[in-house]
Amino acid sequence: MFRNEIDTVNGQLREDLERMGLAYIQDREGKAVICQMENNPPASPAPSVMPALLLNNEGYRITITKENITINAASGKGMYHGLQSFRQLVLSEYKGFQEEGRFNESNFSLSCGEIIDYPRFPWRGFMLDCSRYFYSITFIKHIIDVLSLHHINRFHWHLSDDQGWRLPVPEYPLLTETGSLRKDHRMPWIPFTGGFYSEEAIRNLVEYAAKRHIDVVPEIDLPGHASAILAAYPDLGCTGGPYHVEDRFGIFEDVLCAGNNRIFDLIAKVFDSLVWLFPSSYVHIGGDEVLFNRWKACPKCQKRLSELGLKKPKELQSWITQRLVTMLAERGKTAIGWDEVLEDSQQFRLPKETVVMSWRGSKGGIAASKRGHPVIMVPNTEGCYLDYKHIDDPEEPGQTFNIISTVYKSYCMNPVAPQMTEEESSQILGGQCNLWSELIYAGKIAEYMIFPRLCAVAEAVWTPPENKNFDDFSRRLITHQKRLDLLGLLQYRGPLR
Ligand code: ACM
Ligand code: ZN
């Protein structure tokens, strides 16, 4: 029982303790920590907590007595979360950097007590943009491991954008041969930068994440943010090109031609590759920031518009979205789209099961919940965009879209908007934070942008609002940042609000 969880955490603890300068010696019986299937409701605390713990298969209970440590859970997920909380306790025993003398076994102790814990939301995510900056698999694995320490359970992998295509698709080899490389004008001495993830690397990463109970959700951004696709297959654009993989950052006019049926041939093969490589039941189809000027001027798009009886070129996006959602449903997958997919969809209604990811504040998510869609909240206005500056200081790295994302703001994020009815709030799957990588030139910079704001969002999507307290979080953060130091992560250390 719990073989995967025990083996995975054994490996993590071995590395953690080595980082502390300690040897990892397993109890001869392997029973320093007892992992038990939850079959009896725990005897304490208040009974009202119990049904939630038992119903929620991500819940766990840790009991520390003088004799032993017991972790109870009803599932592997719950056990893994329990073991990660235990791992946090172990990591916080590292007195490390600022205390005199080396850490040793004699001052390693855990307090006796009981923890009963379970999440508020089933979707607790983090998105990494691997198009604008091409992160190594080694880096992503390290981040995934640390995500799981924070009970994050979804890794949203942004695999395509104007600046690079990262997914191998055997039937369309130019997507990676041409679309994964860009001329980086900051580094004129290097012919091209970029790359793509091999099938083997992707499988390996998905397996690594699965062992940590993290679902890897791939995103292919369609029909905009498509410069890399067009550079590879120029006949799929309205003008025919020439196109190139973008090195500038922004929103570009060239998108997939809505009048060309061959775009769906390519998308079908892309989806086949995703189905082949990713076991997740979700695929993210993007849909954000599509410009319509090319569709206005393109005879093929105009023909399509009149055939469909549509008036505005913008409506073609909802027609495309509906097709993509159906193509995914045929492959057993549920589509997720950025909140733009909800717009102008009177004629081609967005299928109910489509998940809407609300990024332009919460309004898209609120509207989607009213229309019965499952919703994931990632409001850029509420601390969920980790590419924004931590504070208003010209020397801080980060985007300057007039939005500052303090740690405090990230902590206050609440996936349920105050004006939502009970029915609407029941549509909320959870929330996440995103790291876009336009201004990221190395994984270390990414770490600085991610931590500790991710810690704040992780708590916001796990803990019920009545148990949140920023002062308490700030105090715990002092210990937590030492844990992250020990894991080798670069962190922002400035003002929290
Ligand atoms: C987005 O930030 N363009 C989804
Ligand atoms: Zn066109």
Side-chain angles (χ1 to χ4, degrees), residues 162 220-227 229-230 236 252-258 263-264 267 285-292 295 314 316-318 320-321 324 341:
D162 297 292
I220 296 298
D221 207 342
L222 300 164
H225 288 292
S227 303
I229 306 175
L230 295 177
L236 300 182
F252 302 100
E253 302 227 304
D254 287 300
V255 301
L256 299 184
C257 175
I263 67 172
F264 296 108
I267 293 169
I285 56 171
D288 58 321
E289 300 178 319
V290 182
L291 298 182
F292 305 105
W295 292 355
K314 202 175 172 192
L316 284 172
Q317 185 177 352
S318 58
I320 292 178
T321 304
L324 301 189
V341 296

Side-chain angles (χ1 to χ4, degrees), residues 123-138:
W123 187 290
R124 304 180 303 278
F126 169 68
M127 189 215 78
L128 188 63
D129 166 10
C130 292
S131 173
R132 275 60 173 266
Y133 179 76
F134 180 62
Y135 298 88
S136 71
I137 289 285
T138 306

Side-chain angles (χ1 to χ4, degrees), residues 221-224 258 263-264 267 271 284-288 290 292 295 308 314-329 335-345 348-351 353-356 373:
D221 207 342
L222 300 164
I263 67 172
F264 296 108
I267 293 169
F271 285 175
H284 200 307
I285 56 171
D288 58 321
V290 182
F292 305 105
W295 292 355
L308 294 172
K314 202 175 172 192
E315 292 170 276
L316 284 172
Q317 185 177 352
S318 58
W319 172 73
I320 292 178
T321 304
Q322 200 184 68
R323 279 193 71 157
L324 301 189
V325 171
T326 306
M327 286 165 74
L328 284 174
I336 306 175
W338 297 112
D339 58 54
E340 285 92 333
V341 296
L342 209 58
E343 291 174 354
D344 287 282
S345 55
F348 292 99
R349 286 197 74 76
L350 188 64
E353 68 278 13
T354 313
V355 181
V356 172
H373 292 282

Side-chain angles (χ1 to χ4, degrees), residues 449-479:
M449 303 308 280
I450 298 171
F451 300 105
R453 287 183 292 193
L454 176 123
C455 317
V457 172
E459 189 156 316
V461 292
W462 178 280
T463 303
E466 59 274 19
N467 291 348
K468 282 169 65 185
N469 176 320
F470 188 69
D471 290 338
D472 183 48
F473 172 80
S474 310
R475 272 190 298 278
R476 286 182 283 114
L477 191 59
I478 296 168
T479 306

